[in-house]
Amino acid sequence: MTLEEQHKEDTQKRRPGRPAKGDEAISREELLEAALKAFAERGYEGVSVRELTRQWDVSHNLIHHHFGSKEGLWKAAVDHAVRKLPEGINDLLSPDAPEGEEIERIHEASYRIALMAATHPDYFKVLMDESSQGGPRFDYIYENYMKATTETVQTFFERAHARGEARAMPPGVGHIILLGAIGTPFTMRALAERLVMEGNRRPPTVEEGARAVADILVYGVVQPKAE
């Protein structure tokens, strides 16, 4: 049974006095987007599935049937968010990249990910929260979506450093700085509004903001060439 069919069946069984909010069933994508937003705003522990089902006006059985539990819903929401990563990231960060292209590839990947962070900040909020706490949920994100990229970025920095094109950094530090800082400008919304959009300033476009983040991050770690 699909999500929409289950929702229709639950709506038909709904007791009098509690009508559905709309005639159309909530789609799986809408539900996962809403779940991701809830996890980003309240944290995993602050989210109640029962409260969410009341908010969405769907049966608790709907969540249980399709996701099994709150943990299952969280994993499905994260998987859904990762599918929004821009195309070509894996190709850019391929360990088989030609020598000499490492910094340029990190820069372009940073721009594309920053662009995604600007338009889908909830995923980065969840990522940063879980990365700071650790535990099984972080392990799920790291093993499934971060480990391979982390290893490639480290290799890229080491290769660039060997040619004198990047500073020496302890293992992993470059990737932590990049990933953490890429999402920060777009998840600290109140601060961004105060510093970037206050007064008569023209707010940057999404593309301008993402490009600035990538430029500052990547070229800030590039070793200056000798005069």
Side-chain angles (χ1 to χ4, degrees), residues 125-147:
K125 180 64 166 59
V126 171
L127 173 63
M128 287 191 283
D129 287 348
E130 299 300 342
S131 295
S132 66
Q133 298 174 29
R137 293 188 301 279
F138 167 70
D139 292 342
Y140 179 83
I141 294 175
Y142 183 81
E143 294 297 330
N144 287 283
Y145 300 118
M146 294 177 65
K147 185 175 181 180

PDB file of all heavy atoms in Angstrom, residues 125-147:
ATOM      1  N   LYS A 125      21.602  21.578   9.049  1.00  0.00           N
ATOM      2  CA  LYS A 125      21.354  21.765  10.485  1.00  0.00           C
ATOM      3  C   LYS A 125      21.348  20.409  11.190  1.00  0.00           C
ATOM      4  O   LYS A 125      21.966  20.240  12.252  1.00  0.00           O
ATOM      5  CB  LYS A 125      20.019  22.473  10.695  1.00  0.00           C
ATOM      6  CG  LYS A 125      19.660  22.733  12.156  1.00  0.00           C
ATOM      7  CD  LYS A 125      20.647  23.682  12.812  1.00  0.00           C
ATOM      8  CE  LYS A 125      20.114  24.221  14.138  1.00  0.00           C
ATOM      9  NZ  LYS A 125      19.814  23.156  15.107  1.00  0.00           N
ATOM     10  N   VAL A 126      20.671  19.433  10.608  1.00  0.00           N
ATOM     11  CA  VAL A 126      20.664  18.076  11.177  1.00  0.00           C
ATOM     12  C   VAL A 126      22.070  17.501  11.183  1.00  0.00           C
ATOM     13  O   VAL A 126      22.514  16.898  12.174  1.00  0.00           O
ATOM     14  CB  VAL A 126      19.699  17.164  10.386  1.00  0.00           C
ATOM     15  CG1 VAL A 126      19.854  15.708  10.813  1.00  0.00           C
ATOM     16  CG2 VAL A 126      18.255  17.613  10.577  1.00  0.00           C
ATOM     17  N   LEU A 127      22.796  17.674  10.073  1.00  0.00           N
ATOM     18  CA  LEU A 127      24.156  17.147   9.964  1.00  0.00           C
ATOM     19  C   LEU A 127      25.060  17.723  11.048  1.00  0.00           C
ATOM     20  O   LEU A 127      25.803  16.992  11.715  1.00  0.00           O
ATOM     21  CB  LEU A 127      24.717  17.463   8.580  1.00  0.00           C
ATOM     22  CG  LEU A 127      26.194  17.129   8.341  1.00  0.00           C
ATOM     23  CD1 LEU A 127      26.430  15.643   8.477  1.00  0.00           C
ATOM     24  CD2 LEU A 127      26.626  17.615   6.964  1.00  0.00           C
ATOM     25  N   MET A 128      24.999  19.030  11.256  1.00  0.00           N
ATOM     26  CA  MET A 128      25.864  19.660  12.252  1.00  0.00           C
ATOM     27  C   MET A 128      25.473  19.256  13.670  1.00  0.00           C
ATOM     28  O   MET A 128      26.333  19.040  14.520  1.00  0.00           O
ATOM     29  CB  MET A 128      25.852  21.172  12.077  1.00  0.00           C
ATOM     30  CG  MET A 128      26.629  21.632  10.851  1.00  0.00           C
ATOM     31  SD  MET A 128      26.907  23.413  10.765  1.00  0.00           S
ATOM     32  CE  MET A 128      25.285  23.956  10.231  1.00  0.00           C
ATOM     33  N   ASP A 129      24.166  19.152  13.931  1.00  0.00           N
ATOM     34  CA  ASP A 129      23.718  18.728  15.253  1.00  0.00           C
ATOM     35  C   ASP A 129      24.222  17.328  15.578  1.00  0.00           C
ATOM     36  O   ASP A 129      24.760  17.076  16.662  1.00  0.00           O
ATOM     37  CB  ASP A 129      22.191  18.758  15.331  1.00  0.00           C
ATOM     38  CG  ASP A 129      21.636  20.166  15.394  1.00  0.00           C
ATOM     39  OD1 ASP A 129      22.431  21.103  15.607  1.00  0.00           O
ATOM     40  OD2 ASP A 129      20.413  20.339  15.229  1.00  0.00           O
ATOM     41  N   GLU A 130      24.044  16.407  14.633  1.00  0.00           N
ATOM     42  CA  GLU A 130      24.453  15.026  14.889  1.00  0.00           C
ATOM     43  C   GLU A 130      25.973  14.899  14.926  1.00  0.00           C
ATOM     44  O   GLU A 130      26.518  14.096  15.680  1.00  0.00           O
ATOM     45  CB  GLU A 130      23.865  14.095  13.822  1.00  0.00           C
ATOM     46  CG  GLU A 130      22.336  14.070  13.768  1.00  0.00           C
ATOM     47  CD  GLU A 130      21.699  13.611  15.066  1.00  0.00           C
ATOM     48  OE1 GLU A 130      22.395  12.996  15.909  1.00  0.00           O
ATOM     49  OE2 GLU A 130      20.485  13.858  15.249  1.00  0.00           O
ATOM     50  N   SER A 131      26.672  15.698  14.124  1.00  0.00           N
ATOM     51  CA  SER A 131      28.138  15.646  14.118  1.00  0.00           C
ATOM     52  C   SER A 131      28.717  16.149  15.437  1.00  0.00           C
ATOM     53  O   SER A 131      29.803  15.728  15.851  1.00  0.00           O
ATOM     54  CB  SER A 131      28.690  16.485  12.962  1.00  0.00           C
ATOM     55  OG  SER A 131      28.310  15.944  11.721  1.00  0.00           O
ATOM     56  N   SER A 132      28.011  17.069  16.098  1.00  0.00           N
ATOM     57  CA  SER A 132      28.502  17.582  17.373  1.00  0.00           C
ATOM     58  C   SER A 132      28.212  16.627  18.524  1.00  0.00           C
ATOM     59  O   SER A 132      28.946  16.589  19.512  1.00  0.00           O
ATOM     60  CB  SER A 132      27.872  18.953  17.663  1.00  0.00           C
ATOM     61  OG  SER A 132      26.477  18.830  17.865  1.00  0.00           O
ATOM     62  N   GLN A 133      27.164  15.825  18.390  1.00  0.00           N
ATOM     63  CA  GLN A 133      26.762  14.925  19.474  1.00  0.00           C
ATOM     64  C   GLN A 133      27.379  13.540  19.354  1.00  0.00           C
ATOM     65  O   GLN A 133      27.703  12.908  20.360  1.00  0.00           O
ATOM     66  CB  GLN A 133      25.238  14.795  19.495  1.00  0.00           C
ATOM     67  CG  GLN A 133      24.509  16.103  19.760  1.00  0.00           C
ATOM     68  CD  GLN A 133      23.009  15.963  19.630  1.00  0.00           C
ATOM     69  OE1 GLN A 133      22.460  14.879  19.863  1.00  0.00           O
ATOM     70  NE2 GLN A 133      22.339  17.023  19.250  1.00  0.00           N
ATOM     71  N   GLY A 134      27.526  13.053  18.115  1.00  0.00           N
ATOM     72  CA  GLY A 134      27.999  11.694  17.927  1.00  0.00           C
ATOM     73  C   GLY A 134      26.917  10.694  18.261  1.00  0.00           C
ATOM     74  O   GLY A 134      25.794  11.051  18.608  1.00  0.00           O
ATOM     75  N   GLY A 135      27.227   9.428  18.113  1.00  0.00           N
ATOM     76  CA  GLY A 135      26.257   8.388  18.413  1.00  0.00           C
ATOM     77  C   GLY A 135      25.776   7.684  17.159  1.00  0.00           C
ATOM     78  O   GLY A 135      26.264   7.929  16.051  1.00  0.00           O
ATOM     79  N   PRO A 136      24.805   6.786  17.294  1.00  0.00           N
ATOM     80  CA  PRO A 136      24.352   5.954  16.161  1.00  0.00           C
ATOM     81  C   PRO A 136      23.832   6.754  14.975  1.00  0.00           C
ATOM     82  O   PRO A 136      24.043   6.353  13.823  1.00  0.00           O
ATOM     83  CB  PRO A 136      23.228   5.097  16.779  1.00  0.00           C
ATOM     84  CG  PRO A 136      23.528   5.073  18.239  1.00  0.00           C
ATOM     85  CD  PRO A 136      24.130   6.406  18.554  1.00  0.00           C
ATOM     86  N   ARG A 137      23.154   7.871  15.227  1.00  0.00           N
ATOM     87  CA  ARG A 137      22.628   8.637  14.097  1.00  0.00           C
ATOM     88  C   ARG A 137      23.762   9.283  13.310  1.00  0.00           C
ATOM     89  O   ARG A 137      23.733   9.304  12.077  1.00  0.00           O
ATOM     90  CB  ARG A 137      21.619   9.687  14.570  1.00  0.00           C
ATOM     91  CG  ARG A 137      20.344   9.081  15.126  1.00  0.00           C
ATOM     92  CD  ARG A 137      19.288  10.141  15.394  1.00  0.00           C
ATOM     93  NE  ARG A 137      19.730  11.151  16.339  1.00  0.00           N
ATOM     94  CZ  ARG A 137      19.712  10.999  17.667  1.00  0.00           C
ATOM     95  NH1 ARG A 137      19.275   9.872  18.195  1.00  0.00           N
ATOM     96  NH2 ARG A 137      20.133  11.971  18.467  1.00  0.00           N
ATOM     97  N   PHE A 138      24.755   9.809  14.016  1.00  0.00           N
ATOM     98  CA  PHE A 138      25.916  10.353  13.324  1.00  0.00           C
ATOM     99  C   PHE A 138      26.634   9.245  12.558  1.00  0.00           C
ATOM    100  O   PHE A 138      27.076   9.444  11.420  1.00  0.00           O
ATOM    101  CB  PHE A 138      26.881  11.019  14.294  1.00  0.00           C
ATOM    102  CG  PHE A 138      28.223  11.308  13.671  1.00  0.00           C
ATOM    103  CD1 PHE A 138      28.346  12.293  12.697  1.00  0.00           C
ATOM    104  CD2 PHE A 138      29.340  10.563  14.026  1.00  0.00           C
ATOM    105  CE1 PHE A 138      29.584  12.539  12.095  1.00  0.00           C
ATOM    106  CE2 PHE A 138      30.560  10.810  13.422  1.00  0.00           C
ATOM    107  CZ  PHE A 138      30.686  11.806  12.462  1.00  0.00           C
ATOM    108  N   ASP A 139      26.777   8.074  13.179  1.00  0.00           N
ATOM    109  CA  ASP A 139      27.423   6.946  12.507  1.00  0.00           C
ATOM    110  C   ASP A 139      26.708   6.619  11.201  1.00  0.00           C
ATOM    111  O   ASP A 139      27.348   6.304  10.185  1.00  0.00           O
ATOM    112  CB  ASP A 139      27.431   5.711  13.409  1.00  0.00           C
ATOM    113  CG  ASP A 139      28.339   5.874  14.623  1.00  0.00           C
ATOM    114  OD1 ASP A 139      29.213   6.766  14.594  1.00  0.00           O
ATOM    115  OD2 ASP A 139      28.155   5.121  15.594  1.00  0.00           O
ATOM    116  N   TYR A 140      25.387   6.683  11.218  1.00  0.00           N
ATOM    117  CA  TYR A 140      24.600   6.396  10.013  1.00  0.00           C
ATOM    118  C   TYR A 140      24.946   7.391   8.911  1.00  0.00           C
ATOM    119  O   TYR A 140      25.188   7.005   7.757  1.00  0.00           O
ATOM    120  CB  TYR A 140      23.113   6.455  10.335  1.00  0.00           C
ATOM    121  CG  TYR A 140      22.221   6.201   9.136  1.00  0.00           C
ATOM    122  CD1 TYR A 140      21.937   4.906   8.730  1.00  0.00           C
ATOM    123  CD2 TYR A 140      21.684   7.262   8.410  1.00  0.00           C
ATOM    124  CE1 TYR A 140      21.136   4.665   7.624  1.00  0.00           C
ATOM    125  CE2 TYR A 140      20.878   7.024   7.306  1.00  0.00           C
ATOM    126  CZ  TYR A 140      20.608   5.731   6.917  1.00  0.00           C
ATOM    127  OH  TYR A 140      19.812   5.503   5.814  1.00  0.00           O
ATOM    128  N   ILE A 141      24.972   8.680   9.244  1.00  0.00           N
ATOM    129  CA  ILE A 141      25.289   9.708   8.251  1.00  0.00           C
ATOM    130  C   ILE A 141      26.728   9.543   7.761  1.00  0.00           C
ATOM    131  O   ILE A 141      27.001   9.589   6.554  1.00  0.00           O
ATOM    132  CB  ILE A 141      25.092  11.117   8.836  1.00  0.00           C
ATOM    133  CG1 ILE A 141      23.614  11.379   9.143  1.00  0.00           C
ATOM    134  CG2 ILE A 141      25.611  12.180   7.870  1.00  0.00           C
ATOM    135  CD1 ILE A 141      23.358  12.704   9.833  1.00  0.00           C
ATOM    136  N   TYR A 142      27.657   9.348   8.689  1.00  0.00           N
ATOM    137  CA  TYR A 142      29.065   9.291   8.313  1.00  0.00           C
ATOM    138  C   TYR A 142      29.364   8.090   7.423  1.00  0.00           C
ATOM    139  O   TYR A 142      29.997   8.230   6.363  1.00  0.00           O
ATOM    140  CB  TYR A 142      29.948   9.242   9.566  1.00  0.00           C
ATOM    141  CG  TYR A 142      31.417   9.243   9.228  1.00  0.00           C
ATOM    142  CD1 TYR A 142      32.068  10.435   8.918  1.00  0.00           C
ATOM    143  CD2 TYR A 142      32.146   8.062   9.196  1.00  0.00           C
ATOM    144  CE1 TYR A 142      33.413  10.445   8.576  1.00  0.00           C
ATOM    145  CE2 TYR A 142      33.485   8.054   8.859  1.00  0.00           C
ATOM    146  CZ  TYR A 142      34.113   9.243   8.549  1.00  0.00           C
ATOM    147  OH  TYR A 142      35.443   9.248   8.206  1.00  0.00           O
ATOM    148  N   GLU A 143      28.923   6.914   7.846  1.00  0.00           N
ATOM    149  CA  GLU A 143      29.245   5.702   7.101  1.00  0.00           C
ATOM    150  C   GLU A 143      28.590   5.678   5.727  1.00  0.00           C
ATOM    151  O   GLU A 143      29.181   5.191   4.752  1.00  0.00           O
ATOM    152  CB  GLU A 143      28.832   4.456   7.900  1.00  0.00           C
ATOM    153  CG  GLU A 143      29.619   4.245   9.176  1.00  0.00           C
ATOM    154  CD  GLU A 143      31.105   4.003   8.911  1.00  0.00           C
ATOM    155  OE1 GLU A 143      31.442   3.446   7.840  1.00  0.00           O
ATOM    156  OE2 GLU A 143      31.917   4.366   9.775  1.00  0.00           O
ATOM    157  N   ASN A 144      27.388   6.209   5.623  1.00  0.00           N
ATOM    158  CA  ASN A 144      26.651   6.133   4.370  1.00  0.00           C
ATOM    159  C   ASN A 144      26.939   7.299   3.424  1.00  0.00           C
ATOM    160  O   ASN A 144      26.864   7.122   2.201  1.00  0.00           O
ATOM    161  CB  ASN A 144      25.152   6.064   4.650  1.00  0.00           C
ATOM    162  CG  ASN A 144      24.724   4.721   5.192  1.00  0.00           C
ATOM    163  OD1 ASN A 144      24.598   3.749   4.459  1.00  0.00           O
ATOM    164  ND2 ASN A 144      24.507   4.647   6.499  1.00  0.00           N
ATOM    165  N   TYR A 145      27.249   8.475   3.976  1.00  0.00           N
ATOM    166  CA  TYR A 145      27.289   9.653   3.117  1.00  0.00           C
ATOM    167  C   TYR A 145      28.534  10.525   3.252  1.00  0.00           C
ATOM    168  O   TYR A 145      28.735  11.405   2.418  1.00  0.00           O
ATOM    169  CB  TYR A 145      26.054  10.516   3.383  1.00  0.00           C
ATOM    170  CG  TYR A 145      24.765   9.794   3.106  1.00  0.00           C
ATOM    171  CD1 TYR A 145      23.847   9.560   4.125  1.00  0.00           C
ATOM    172  CD2 TYR A 145      24.472   9.321   1.837  1.00  0.00           C
ATOM    173  CE1 TYR A 145      22.662   8.885   3.872  1.00  0.00           C
ATOM    174  CE2 TYR A 145      23.302   8.635   1.572  1.00  0.00           C
ATOM    175  CZ  TYR A 145      22.402   8.424   2.597  1.00  0.00           C
ATOM    176  OH  TYR A 145      21.226   7.751   2.350  1.00  0.00           O
ATOM    177  N   MET A 146      29.353  10.315   4.247  1.00  0.00           N
ATOM    178  CA  MET A 146      30.477  11.220   4.458  1.00  0.00           C
ATOM    179  C   MET A 146      31.840  10.554   4.320  1.00  0.00           C
ATOM    180  O   MET A 146      32.805  11.202   3.908  1.00  0.00           O
ATOM    181  CB  MET A 146      30.379  11.864   5.851  1.00  0.00           C
ATOM    182  CG  MET A 146      29.204  12.788   6.035  1.00  0.00           C
ATOM    183  SD  MET A 146      29.114  13.436   7.737  1.00  0.00           S
ATOM    184  CE  MET A 146      30.624  14.409   7.805  1.00  0.00           C
ATOM    185  N   LYS A 147      31.956   9.305   4.669  1.00  0.00           N
ATOM    186  CA  LYS A 147      33.262   8.662   4.798  1.00  0.00           C
ATOM    187  C   LYS A 147      34.072   8.719   3.509  1.00  0.00           C
ATOM    188  O   LYS A 147      35.247   9.140   3.515  1.00  0.00           O
ATOM    189  CB  LYS A 147      33.099   7.212   5.238  1.00  0.00           C
ATOM    190  CG  LYS A 147      34.436   6.513   5.508  1.00  0.00           C
ATOM    191  CD  LYS A 147      34.209   5.110   6.049  1.00  0.00           C
ATOM    192  CE  LYS A 147      35.543   4.438   6.345  1.00  0.00           C
ATOM    193  NZ  LYS A 147      35.355   3.064   6.886  1.00  0.00           N
TER     194      LYS A 147
END
